Amino acid sequence: MNFQQLRIIRETVRRNYNLTEVANALFTSQSGVSKHIKDLEDELGIELFVRKGKRFLGLTEPGQGLVAIVERMLLDAKNIKQLAEQFSNSEVGELHIATTHTQARYVLPPVVTQFKALFPKVHLVLHQAYPTEIANMLLEGRVDIGIATEALNDVPSLVHFPYYSWTHTVIIPMGHPLEQIAYPSLEDIAAYPIITYYTGMTGRAKIDNAFAAAGVTPDIVLSALDSDVVKTYVELGLGIGIVASVAFNSQRDSNLRMLDCTQIFEANTTHIAVRHGHYLRGYAYRFIELCSANLTEALVRKALAAGNDDV
């Protein structure tokens, strides 16, 4: 048994049992992949995959058990490497952060600026993705830290921490009739075409729940993945927008006006998450602490060691 065999087993599952894709991902040949799998099965004396001819259809029962062990072994191997790097050079390396557009565009810039000043030799990689994709990237070990409002607190293998709370707000073009109403109701808002986030993004569920609870049916004419798109089409006069309050800047968005809707929409909480068992280098703890001073290295380490799914 060797690590290449283990990587092939893991990648075969990730690539939906397509051995050609496995070979490409691991920079080897398809015949080499098949041989590694056959050698491991012969060594263990069990079949790991359900086959139909030369095609792999899924995992056998022992194969399912083995994959869970393989994931842990490869994660531990990665942790050993990162541990060695931590003590050989604590201020050089890479930090991969997966987050949504709203967080990357409106919340994280001050954090990133401070982090780069403290760790100029650390290559910081920001991956923008959907919340469910962020959770998967964490589970697969492709990123160190995930930041999002949805999905992260629903996965048992992720340890997550509350980052900050925020609410939605309504944005309108200058001169819009709603500008004359100090505290618009859901009925006032629903009288106009609405542009807001796509389902599953940036607290969209809280928006839908607010209208449903009030028995009001909004006319959502356009759904977008990020706040900038929403604001663009509001400026064009296609409707009023519902966005995260952190996405509005009175100076930058001078053609728009923000209405006070704090009593209308339920608050959202954005979370920071790390996969349980994933080794974090010192600068990763520092990044989390720059996000929230309450999330000290000691607290995060304790939660990761205990496997708590929230703090």
Side-chain angles (χ1 to χ4, degrees), residues 84-227:
E85 290 173 345
Q86 169 72 11
F87 286 94
S88 63
N89 197 333
S90 62
E91 297 186 358
V92 175
E94 289 189 351
L95 180 63
H96 290 258
I97 311 291
T99 190
T100 61
H101 171 88
T102 297
Q103 310 304 328
R105 174 69 176 83
Y106 297 104
V107 179
L108 290 181
V111 176
V112 171
T113 301
Q114 293 178 68
F115 180 84
K116 290 302 294 180
L118 291 170
F119 302 97
K121 295 183 179 180
V122 174
H123 181 49
L124 182 63
V125 184
L126 281 178
H127 305 261
Q128 290 189 49
Y130 300 112
T132 52
E133 292 175 332
I134 294 170
N136 288 333
M137 293 169 79
L138 284 166
L139 292 174
E140 293 175 1
R142 290 189 283 150
V143 297
D144 303 294
I145 299 169
I147 302 173
T149 302
E150 290 85 6
L152 301 185
N153 57 337
D154 297 327
V155 183
S157 298
L158 299 181
V159 181
H160 55 88
F161 311 87
Y163 180 4
Y164 70 99
S165 294
W166 56 273
T167 58
H168 290 99
T169 192
V170 172
I171 55 173
I172 57 175
M174 291 177 59
H176 192 278
L178 282 179
E179 200 169 355
Q180 305 304 314
I181 303 176
Y183 302 100
S185 66
L186 286 171
E187 289 80 4
D188 294 328
I189 296 168
Y192 299 93
I194 294 172
I195 304 168
T196 190
Y197 301 111
Y198 189 79
T199 300
M201 296 292 295
T202 322
R204 170 63 188 272
K206 297 289 180 69
I207 297 172
D208 294 339
N209 291 342
F211 282 109
V216 176
T217 302
D219 179 20
I220 298 178
V221 295
L222 192 152
S223 298
L225 297 179
D226 64 68
S227 306

Side-chain angles (χ1 to χ4, degrees), residues 288-310:
I288 294 173
E289 192 172 356
L290 288 172
C291 290
S292 174
N294 294 325
L295 299 178
T296 63
E297 180 174 345
L299 184 147
V300 175
R301 282 187 180 276
K302 181 178 179 181
L304 288 174
N308 296 336
D309 61 359
D310 202 355

Side-chain angles (χ1 to χ4, degrees), residues 4-52:
Q4 181 66 355
Q5 290 172 333
L6 302 184
R7 293 187 191 97
I8 286 172
I9 296 299
R10 180 180 66 179
E11 202 65 31
T12 300
V13 175
R14 288 184 178 179
R15 302 286 169 174
N16 200 28
Y17 310 104
N18 186 319
L19 298 190
T20 301
E21 292 186 6
V22 175
N24 291 337
L26 297 178
F27 304 102
T28 186
S29 65
Q30 184 173 339
S31 60
V33 168
S34 299
K35 185 176 186 307
H36 274 298
I37 292 173
K38 185 65 167 59
D39 288 346
L40 181 58
E41 288 181 325
D42 289 344
E43 180 181 347
L44 298 176
I46 55 175
E47 287 193 348
L48 301 174
F49 296 96
V50 178
R51 294 171 170 84
K52 184 176 181 180

